[in-house]
DNA sequence: TATGAATGAGTCTTCATTCAT
DNA sequence: AATGAATGAAGACTCATTCAT
């Protein structure tokens, strides 16, 4: 068997590959991996079905590349631009920034998260990707906090809880699941709670 | 056309149906809905493929009935036995009970949660089931707290955050994702955080 | 293999067998052989599926026995009571009697005829039955006409055409295919035509 | 969901589609719709099973398209080329032409007629097709006769009887059911009979 | 006799992947 | 590089028939 997956060199070809990734990942996130077929992906990307197999080993590969390209936006939107110093009395503000960043960067439809998460369990490569990134983010946050004189004590656990709280809040806001939920109140409660987590650091 | 979904009357038949639900739901939760075929379900249940279609309309129906039977254990294990009065100074204890209950009742494999969650988005019936139960639990918890003189103020939001914290914690404990996580510390932090949420009620 | 098709002796058993034949043949004629399953037949007959296979070798056998029991009513309703002498000037009347007899004896739904006819080609036993009966009727009619001094000359052909004309007419009347067809006119035309066929015999 | 019924553009593809229709319709007519499976159709057409479903929605669609393509030859072979003027003394000749045309155009096996007719009852689309065409032919014949100064009086009924006579005759000739039938005699009798129907018009 | 639960071969249909052009 | 026609393995589901009770 010849390895005939081409890495496109020309600009037009590169764009074509991008198109396939984008179309494929969007469709998969919207409708699920098994409810998306390659014909649809090709059509949505404006290419022929055959070409998909010149840029990708198989359908699964489209998903993986999509995940690598867009995954951060779905799972770890607060990962970016966190290399910051902040005044402890602005911790509040930082949290609000992270939350807004998370919400604003949710590019892909609301199925994406669980759709991919469900694959984390059945699929080694996706699991690897996911846990690697999750750890990256946890560490990245730990780093920031350490750099700002937070105590290392129980920090891993605290960061994990903090991320869970933010994740939960943002999902609630993004997906509008409960009509009688007041998001301002919830946001304030979450921020207060995170501050409680780090009450020893914030004096 | 004959209505050929039989509701089994005899004991042996009932057991057979249970077997199919159990086998089917387990396989689906372990490997995913689309990676489980009816032949496997039948084999695992120790029956022929045909019989599956005498007790269930289709493969999807096996999932739904499995969800109805085992769903609470996966999603809402703390829902049961919550009709309790407690002393406010025992709130702590109550929370620990809920957490233990959650963890102990996780009967099905660890893929179940996300696998099903991924379907919540693409599938109306599963979504209905999920949101109905989620709301039930939130209300059930609100009720308990109100009965124990907690304030109605921002209660919906607080309960939601609280459930998110517990959910997150339990998943962490159940699935052992992070080897260097100290679960006792994390549990304590979560409980402290929940108490912070209700600090006005607990005086 | 033991030949275990039972010929029922007891009255209740005989009635049960009749019920199955009737139910089966009705359903098959109404919906077609392949759109009728044994479960439906059993249900319609008010028996269990298992019992069908004690009285019949297979589903096909139900059809055959139904055909033998009811086939004449569908295909050759004028076959009965034709052992008559008639005055040639009453030929007209005889024809009208045959036509009425045909129409009145059409017990089974209007799919029966073609449904069975379509099987005549693919199925030896049904074909045998059909052609045997058709010949019987043709000969029976020939006999009657010969007994009433019709000439043997071209008689076979004439009888065949005559039967075709009656068949066509009766189908038209029974199935109401064409709303703007005047059946009295058509009947008169057909009778006139048959008389034309035998104009030499009727002087 | 992608609309995946392709209307083939390329010559080769068109031929392939024709092949499938032909193979499918032949097999269905020979063995019956329910005794013909898609694998057989594909094999007979020299293609894979998959391709069938790129050109046809389902197995039934193959039948419908076959019917539309070959149906006229089976049911209404005299429909073609009837736009003629004739001398009343050549009515005889016209009838013989129609009969010959009918017989010569019977392309498909002798099961076709009843096989399809049996579906007319259970299937709306096929029934629609059949009755539409039957009416077309009746009207077409009426038109011809009116154009040749036949009286409108009882014309619909007469044409119907006439077509029945021809249909009956041709079936007899085509399918050789009765070995001792003299077809020349029968043909002459039928023609004489039709002329009797229109005796007032032919003076 | 009678029941109806159980079997499993058979069928339609889909779709990831390959291939001729 | 690109197309889209073609492949064929795999899966959901049906149903005639058998079997345990």
């Amino acid at each position: 068997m010849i390895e005939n997956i081409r890495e496109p060199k020309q600009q037009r070809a590169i764009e074509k590959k991008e198109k396939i990734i984008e179309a494929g990942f969007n469709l998969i996130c919207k409708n699920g991996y098994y409810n998306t077929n390659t014909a649809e992906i090709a059509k949505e990307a404006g290419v022929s079905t055959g070409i998909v197999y010149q840029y990708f080993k198989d359908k699964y590969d489209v998903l993986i590349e999509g995940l690598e390209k867009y995954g951060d936006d779905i799972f770890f939107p607060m990962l970016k631009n966190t290399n910051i110093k902040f005044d402890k009395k602005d911790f509040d503000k930082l949290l609000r920034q992270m939350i807004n960043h998370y919400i604003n960067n949710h590019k892909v439809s609301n199925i994406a998260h669980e759709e991919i998460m469900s694959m984390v369990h059945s699929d080694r490569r996706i699991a690897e990707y996911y846990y690697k990134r999750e750890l990256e983010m946890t560490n990245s946050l730990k780093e920031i906090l350490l750099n700002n004189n937070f105590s290392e004590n129980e920090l891993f656990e605290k960061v994990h809880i903090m991320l869970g709280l933010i994740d939960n809040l943002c999902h609630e806001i993004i997906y509008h699941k409960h009509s009688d939920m007041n998001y301002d109140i919830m946001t304030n409660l979450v921020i207060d709670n995170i501050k409680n987590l780090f009450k020893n650091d914030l004096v």
Side-chain angles (χ1 to χ4, degrees), chain A residues 132-188:
Chain A
K132 202 183 98 212
R133 288 308 177 88
E134 194 197 27
L135 201 62
E136 263 175 45
M137 182 157 78
T138 309
N139 288 332
S140 161
L141 251 184
K142 268 179 67 181
E143 206 66 37
I144 292 170
L145 296 179
L146 286 171
N147 286 341
N148 286 278
N149 301 319
F150 280 56
S151 154
E152 193 149 11
N153 186 36
E154 307 182 342
L155 187 54
F156 189 62
E157 287 76 12
K158 287 176 184 171
V159 164
H160 204 272
I161 293 171
M162 167 187 165
L163 288 176
L165 279 164
I166 292 177
D167 202 66
N168 221 38
L169 169 67
C170 293
H171 271 238
E172 194 57 43
I173 294 174
I174 293 165
Y175 304 152
H176 295 292
K177 277 174 195 162
H178 303 96
S179 50
D180 42 359
M181 183 80 77
N182 183 318
Y183 297 136
D184 285 337
I185 289 174
M186 199 172 163
T187 305
N188 289 337

Side-chain angles (χ1 to χ4, degrees), chain A residues 23-201:
Chain A
F25 195 66
N26 274 336
L27 286 170
I28 288 170
C29 287
K30 184 148 64 103
N31 302 323
Y33 183 76
Y34 293 99
N35 295 310
T36 304
N37 63 44
T38 48
E40 285 172 303
I41 293 174
K43 197 182 180 188
E44 177 82 10
V47 299
S48 66
T49 59
I51 207 71
V52 173
Y53 287 81
Q54 287 198 324
Y55 295 138
F56 302 90
K57 191 162 68 62
D58 50 23
K59 178 183 157 187
Y60 175 73
D61 200 31
V62 177
L63 168 62
I64 290 293
E65 296 219 19
L67 193 57
E68 262 149 27
K69 187 155 186 229
Y70 301 110
D72 284 356
D73 294 339
I74 297 171
F75 293 109
F76 312 110
M78 13 176 190
L79 195 59
K80 296 167 188 164
N81 305 322
T82 40
N83 249 351
I84 22 168
K85 279 267 174 192
F86 60 93
D87 196 318
K88 276 183 181 176
K89 65 177 195 291
D90 293 335
F91 187 47
D92 220 276
K93 215 182 282 176
L94 176 75
L95 294 175
R96 288 186 190 277
Q97 271 174 19
M98 285 177 64
I99 290 165
N100 288 333
H101 203 266
Y102 191 140
I103 292 167
N104 294 331
N105 278 283
H106 248 269
K107 291 225 183 75
V108 200
S109 102
N110 63 357
I111 302 197
H113 195 276
E114 273 86 11
E115 179 63 29
I116 304 297
M117 279 310 288
S118 95
M119 291 187 134
V120 164
H121 299 287
S122 54
D123 194 288
R124 213 179 38 76
R125 273 182 76 187
I126 295 184
E128 272 167 18
Y129 162 83
Y130 180 76
Y131 290 121
K132 202 183 98 212
R133 288 308 177 88
E134 194 197 27
L135 201 62
E136 263 175 45
M137 182 157 78
T138 309
N139 288 332
S140 161
L141 251 184
K142 268 179 67 181
E143 206 66 37
I144 292 170
L145 296 179
L146 286 171
N147 286 341
N148 286 278
N149 301 319
F150 280 56
S151 154
E152 193 149 11
N153 186 36
E154 307 182 342
L155 187 54
F156 189 62
E157 287 76 12
K158 287 176 184 171
V159 164
H160 204 272
I161 293 171
M162 167 187 165
L163 288 176
L165 279 164
I166 292 177
D167 202 66
N168 221 38
L169 169 67
C170 293
H171 271 238
E172 194 57 43
I173 294 174
I174 293 165
Y175 304 152
H176 295 292
K177 277 174 195 162
H178 303 96
S179 50
D180 42 359
M181 183 80 77
N182 183 318
Y183 297 136
D184 285 337
I185 289 174
M186 199 172 163
T187 305
N188 289 337
L189 286 167
V190 164
I191 286 173
D192 183 71
N193 243 18
I194 293 172
K195 281 160 73 179
N196 179 63
L197 265 178
F198 298 103
K199 61 186 165 225
N200 294 330
D201 301 298

